[in-house]
Amino acid sequence: MACAGVVATKIHKEKTMADSNFIDYVKIHCRSGKGGAGSRHFYRAKYVPKGGPDGGDGGRGGHIILRGDAQMWTLLPLKYNRHMFAGNGQSGTGGRSTGKDGDDVIINVPCGTVVFDAETGEFLAEVNGPGEEVKLLRGGRGGLGNWHFKSPTNRTPRYAQPGEPAIERTVILELKLLADVGLVGFPNAGKSTLLSAISAARPKIADYPFTTMEPQLGIVGYRDNLSFVMADIPGIIEGASEGKGLGLRFLRHIERNAVLLFMVPADADDITEQYHILLRELERFNPQLMDKHRILAVSKSDMLDDELKDAIAETLPEDVPHVFISAVTGQGIDELKDVLWAAVTDVNNQIATPSITHRPLDGHHRVREEDEFIFDTPDMPAETDEDFDEDFDDSGEWDDDFFDPGFDPEKFVPDADD
């Protein structure tokens, strides 16, 4: 019977994760647009001999831009749109006409999204506020037309700059929920019950481990119409920082929390030992989490009398404030709110965005099914005659000297074809 129960629980977890719309980790492939080539056109009119160079500049390539969207709460749209390609800049034309810029691609993401390089795991950028924009990949600059290189000693420059190439990169987007208080505890510690008791959130509650399969947010009301946001993540087990259980996948969300509320049930064999196990898992995941303000709540304390509470209180860590609570009977809930509100409003606990250090992604912090995603990158479309100026063929090799600040057009040696 026990084996059948474990199998049933595993099937339930797999089905819940498959049916969930909450996606907080996704891997996508991006490519900015390449810059258009400059034109080496010469002005021609019936009664104007030797009109001189008038080739226009090429347009810049499109950017890949991330924009924070307060109405989004998941990365689900990106799970089914894995390739983001910006438009290429058009080539310049005669009459000093600049080519059209490539179309930018704006990717709307939830606030709290962090970007990592998929190859190295390096932190690249983050989007925290609604409307905030981050230029993820810069489009290539357009090349200068030949009229930029004319001079009294070089009246007919027959060269122009090509456009800069596109930038191509595979990135990983991680969503880290923005909340004031984060709940940390083992499975069945009463985290979801507490969240449902003090907020309007309705997380799933059941008598088996890992009932919570995705993070839940709740707004906790306080006195004088004040409130703060509390986040509940799936239960953590010993070894979660090394890939065991579900806690590892969601530990990233508490990096954004100002205060961590550790919950240990009153019927635990050793409350202090369980607290230290949870603390060690957080430290292994990200040592910076040790700097956050911590509060210990002993849940299910309605089964304790005053004498037992006093005995347990003597064994609890002295450096962490503790509260005995019962979400079922309401015991200690008001006291807990007071302690949490004091911690949330404390200036020393406020999180400044630049102070958050995002740990690089390693093998333990990645989501296997996302990292094994194979990108089927379509081939670049073949160039057509419309991509080039009629007087300039941009099919030659790329030359970095064209964009060198020390480039001297007077010393430029044109090809034999010129």
Side-chain angles (χ1 to χ4, degrees), residues 77-90:
L78 297 178
K79 186 175 179 64
Y80 303 103
N81 189 13
R82 301 300 189 101
H83 300 95
M84 301 292 178
F85 297 152
N88 296 327
Q90 295 184 0

Side-chain angles (χ1 to χ4, degrees), residues 171-367:
V171 298
I172 290 174
L173 302 182
E174 268 194 352
L175 173 60
K176 300 182 180 181
L177 295 180
L178 304 175
D180 300 308
V181 179
L183 291 174
V184 182
F186 285 91
N188 286 350
K191 302 186 300 299
S192 299
T193 304
L194 174 63
L195 185 64
S196 64
I198 63 177
S199 73
R202 291 296 176 264
K204 186 173 182 179
I205 301 172
D207 59 353
Y208 53 82
F210 297 110
T211 308
T212 301
M213 301 297 296
E214 61 187 39
Q216 301 285 339
L217 288 179
I219 299 178
V220 181
Y222 192 61
R223 299 185 181 94
D224 301 327
N225 294 324
L226 300 175
S227 63
F228 57 90
V229 181
M230 179 179 288
D232 174 24
I233 67 171
I236 301 174
I237 62 175
E238 188 172 6
S241 60
E242 300 179 359
K244 296 181 181 179
L246 294 176
L248 169 74
R249 180 167 180 173
F250 301 105
L251 279 176
R252 67 177 72 100
H253 295 289
I254 63 177
E255 290 181 319
R256 298 282 193 185
N257 305 149
V259 179
L260 299 182
L261 177 59
F262 288 77
M263 293 190 63
V264 181
D267 57 355
D269 294 335
D270 190 336
I271 296 178
T272 302
E273 177 60 23
Q274 288 203 8
Y275 165 76
H276 285 299
I277 291 176
L278 294 171
L279 203 59
R280 285 195 296 268
E281 294 304 321
L282 298 188
E283 185 177 10
R284 292 170 183 169
F285 179 77
N286 187 350
Q288 193 184 18
L289 295 177
M290 296 299 98
D291 299 332
K292 295 183 180 293
H293 186 81
R294 301 188 294 272
I295 298 173
L296 176 60
V298 181
S299 61
K300 306 178 183 179
S301 60
D302 52 323
M303 65 179 67
L304 304 177
D305 55 21
D306 294 339
E307 184 177 353
L308 284 176
K309 289 180 182 178
D310 294 337
I312 293 176
E314 294 178 357
T315 64
L316 299 179
E318 297 180 356
D319 59 337
V320 180
H322 61 271
V323 182
F324 289 91
I325 65 171
S326 173
V328 177
T329 64
Q331 175 187 343
I333 296 299
D334 291 337
E335 181 184 357
L336 177 63
K337 287 184 179 181
D338 292 336
V339 175
L340 291 175
W341 180 257
V344 169
T345 56
D346 190 345
V347 179
N348 297 326
N349 296 333
Q350 300 300 316
I351 295 181
T353 300
S355 69
I356 298 178
T357 302
H358 300 281
R359 78 283 179 275
L361 294 181
D362 57 24
H364 293 310
H365 297 146
R366 293 177 178 266
V367 179

